[in-house]
Amino acid sequence: MENLMEQLTEEQRIEVKRQMEMYSQGVQEIIPTEELEKKVAKSIIENKPLKIKLGLDPSAPDVHLGHTVVLNKMRQFQENGHTIQLIIGDFTGKIGDPTGKSVARKQLTDEEVKHNAKTYFEQFAKVIDMDKVELHYNSAWLSKLNFEDVIQLAGKITVARLLERDDFEERIAFNKPISLHEFFYPLMQGYDSVMLECDIELGGTDQHFNILMGRHFQEKFGKEKQVALLMPLLEGLDGVEKMSKSKKNYIGIDESPTEMYGKAMSIPDELMGKYFELITDLNPEQIKELKDQLESGSFHPRDAKMLLAKTIVRMYHDAEAGEKAEQHFISVFQQGTIPEDIPAVEWNGSTELPLIDLLVELKLLSSKSEARRMIENKGIKLNGLKIEDTKLHVIVSDGLIVQVGKRKFVKLKMGK
């Protein structure tokens, strides 16, 4: 390492330091840091881009901000001229990654993989330049392995090493079955790195074991070992659970500007610094200054949250949409006014009915019990007036505005 660094000019040393500071921002763990610095220095000396790998088994194609933690790190590498290798697990996806699962995952069909991959590409383009991405489908090499090849691959790893995975240990402890094919998932992910000769593999901390398999198999095949860059998992809007659509604590990157902005304003204060660091495109200096101001109390959390919300909308829509979403939020939620651009819903039902029935029929709430709880919690307004009577009968008229919570509005238009 010292010999390599001695070959650098002062200008190149500064560039290595700049890139290392950028790549280290928000990272949970680099395995190992010295090798990453060596790879960056070597790429600068040889004027040769590094190969940065991200593997995907497209099982759930709706991308939210939690997914963009890794994508934003990829964008930083891409902006510095390095090559992004996006691997679509059309072969491994048929097995399913057992990471974090108490049971085997559902195996995907070819049609499901292709459909989900296309959806991923469309959404990823909002974060990285997909025109400059190397796209690979791992069936190109995995489907060509014969049984002898598979046996040789399996011979390069011990069962004891595979059983080190937390999810496998837990399933054994609770006497839950593990299918033999699940052991082959990390082997195949590691073999992907061998075939593409990756320099760096990115992933969340839950991918720790799988990504280290890439280093293991590259060494076994006589290749230069990749560096593992592990990003922290992003807590959702509840501040507790990992961001997930199933937990309903997410911000989707395809959502409307007003929905995005409103959701961002509910992020817990203590997570502000983490969100700025992991999911925005602000540079390290800006983020450090914001975090310092938040810790010192010189930047009010509400103002920081508004800046974060506008930044998120700007990144996935544009600056004008960010400004409009902010004005909408100030008008509706801070000043208590009713927005002008409320979606109209044609009403052909009864002109008088229980409020609970109206809320369910408008699909603003999923059940009568949920509607009742929302009224009891003072979350329903009619024409701006808060309703607290769960037994209220509503006389439906043209233009009636129904509000649920802070962000849902509909204006009724009487059908003919």
Side-chain angles (χ1 to χ4, degrees):
M1 179 65 183
E2 290 180 3
N3 293 336
L4 185 63
M5 295 302 289
E6 288 173 1
Q7 299 176 38
L8 296 170
T9 65
E10 184 60 28
E11 185 178 352
Q12 288 174 329
R13 289 175 191 271
I14 293 172
E15 176 60 14
V16 171
K17 182 180 179 182
R18 183 192 71 81
Q19 289 196 35
M20 286 298 294
E21 287 178 351
M22 178 178 287
Y23 304 147
S24 301
Q25 174 194 313
V27 173
Q28 184 84 18
E29 191 174 6
I30 300 174
I31 308 173
T33 303
E34 312 80 57
E35 286 187 22
L36 175 61
E37 188 174 18
K38 181 180 178 181
K39 285 178 181 288
V40 172
K42 187 178 179 182
S43 77
I44 290 173
I45 291 172
E46 298 180 353
N47 194 28
K48 183 180 178 181
L50 296 172
K51 298 175 182 178
I52 318 300
K53 170 191 173 186
L54 177 66
L56 296 169
D57 281 341
S59 55
D62 292 320
V63 177
H64 54 63
L65 290 186
H67 297 121
T68 70
V69 172
V70 171
L71 292 178
N72 279 311
K73 187 59 61 180
M74 290 180 70
R75 174 180 49 77
Q76 292 175 346
F77 279 102
Q78 193 177 56
E79 288 173 349
N80 286 319
H82 300 298
T83 302
I84 301 302
Q85 297 177 317
L86 197 59
I87 302 177
I88 305 303
D90 60 331
F91 195 92
T92 45
K94 295 175 185 178
I95 292 179
D97 183 3
T99 299
K101 297 296 175 182
S102 59
V103 295
R105 283 199 180 196
K106 172 183 175 287
Q107 297 180 30
L108 301 177
T109 65
D110 287 335
E111 292 71 24
E112 288 172 325
V113 168
K114 289 175 183 176
H115 169 76
N116 292 350
K118 182 176 181 294
T119 308
Y120 268 127
F121 300 157
E122 293 168 354
Q123 295 175 82
F124 281 12
K126 295 188 175 186
V127 184
I128 59 177
D129 186 348
M130 289 297 294
D131 291 334
K132 296 180 180 179
V133 168
E134 280 187 13
L135 284 175
H136 300 276
Y137 290 80
N138 62 13
S139 62
W141 50 85
L142 291 175
S143 63
K144 294 177 181 177
L145 296 178
N146 60 36
F147 197 63
E148 183 179 355
D149 296 327
V150 174
I151 293 297
Q152 290 180 353
L153 183 64
K156 297 182 185 297
I157 187 79
T158 66
V159 173
R161 180 73 186 277
L162 290 170
L163 290 176
E164 289 174 4
R165 287 180 59 126
D166 292 339
D167 33 43
F168 286 160
E169 283 185 338
E170 289 172 7
R171 282 158 70 177
I172 290 171
F174 289 97
N175 200 29
K176 292 183 177 179
I178 302 173
S179 296
L180 182 60
H181 76 280
E182 294 181 84
F183 283 115
F184 284 91
Y185 185 92
L187 273 65
M188 290 189 293
Q189 183 167 332
Y191 191 68
D192 290 347
S193 294
V194 173
M195 294 302 297
L196 294 181
E197 299 183 334
C198 311
D199 292 301
I200 298 163
E201 182 168 2
L202 283 169
T205 52
D206 57 346
Q207 289 293 311
H208 183 278
F209 187 91
N210 289 342
I211 291 176
L212 288 185
M213 282 295 100
R215 283 177 61 81
H216 174 84
F217 281 105
Q218 283 176 325
E219 182 178 34
K220 291 294 183 181
F221 280 88
K223 306 281 187 179
E224 183 178 315
K225 292 188 289 185
Q226 67 183 24
V227 171
L229 229 69
L230 302 173
M231 301 301 297
L233 304 179
L234 186 70
E235 294 91 341
L237 303 179
D238 56 4
V240 179
E241 299 277 359
K242 181 180 77 170
M243 184 173 285
S244 165
K245 295 205 81 170
S246 63
K247 300 287 184 183
K248 298 183 179 180
N249 64 351
Y250 69 98
I251 301 176
I253 68 171
D254 273 345
E255 291 184 317
S256 70
T258 53
E259 186 74 7
M260 247 182 201
Y261 194 102
K263 281 187 173 183
M265 290 303 293
S266 67
I267 295 169
D269 291 354
E270 61 272 18
L271 289 177
M272 294 295 297
K274 188 172 185 178
Y275 268 72
F276 270 115
E277 188 166 55
L278 295 180
I279 57 94
T280 73
D281 58 1
L282 303 182
N283 64 49
E285 292 76 20
Q286 290 174 306
I287 291 169
K288 184 180 183 305
E289 183 179 355
L290 285 167
K291 291 175 75 174
D292 289 345
Q293 290 176 343
L294 280 167
E295 288 175 13
S296 68
S298 61
F299 196 11
H300 195 284
R302 181 202 60 232
D303 298 330
K305 211 170 288 189
M306 291 178 74
L307 173 61
L308 176 62
K310 187 157 65 172
T311 300
I312 292 170
V313 175
R314 187 258 303 159
M315 287 173 64
Y316 297 103
H317 294 279
D318 54 43
E320 183 181 357
E323 292 291 344
K324 288 182 177 179
E326 183 168 84
Q327 291 307 312
H328 178 274
F329 181 85
I330 292 171
S331 172
V332 175
F333 303 118
Q334 291 190 349
Q335 298 175 359
T337 59
I338 296 174
E340 297 178 0
D341 56 343
I342 298 174
V345 175
E346 185 171 315
W347 179 256
N348 292 300
S350 173
T351 56
E352 182 177 350
L353 74 165
L355 173 58
I356 287 176
D357 292 351
L358 177 65
L359 294 169
V360 174
E361 289 188 34
L362 287 171
K363 296 182 180 179
L364 293 170
L365 292 163
S366 61
S367 66
K368 291 185 179 182
S369 59
E370 189 179 359
R372 184 175 293 103
R373 283 195 299 272
M374 184 62 77
I375 296 170
E376 291 171 348
N377 292 329
K378 303 178 182 179
I380 302 298
K381 290 183 180 180
L382 297 178
N383 288 338
L385 297 175
K386 191 175 294 181
I387 305 299
E388 300 181 26
D389 183 2
T390 58
K391 298 181 180 179
L392 178 72
H393 275 62
V394 181
I395 297 176
V396 182
S397 59
D398 197 59
L400 176 68
I401 295 174
V402 183
Q403 179 182 347
V404 176
K406 293 182 177 181
R407 292 188 290 272
K408 283 185 183 178
F409 291 86
V410 297
K411 180 184 289 186
L412 298 188
K413 180 182 178 182
M414 300 301 288
K416 295 180 181 179

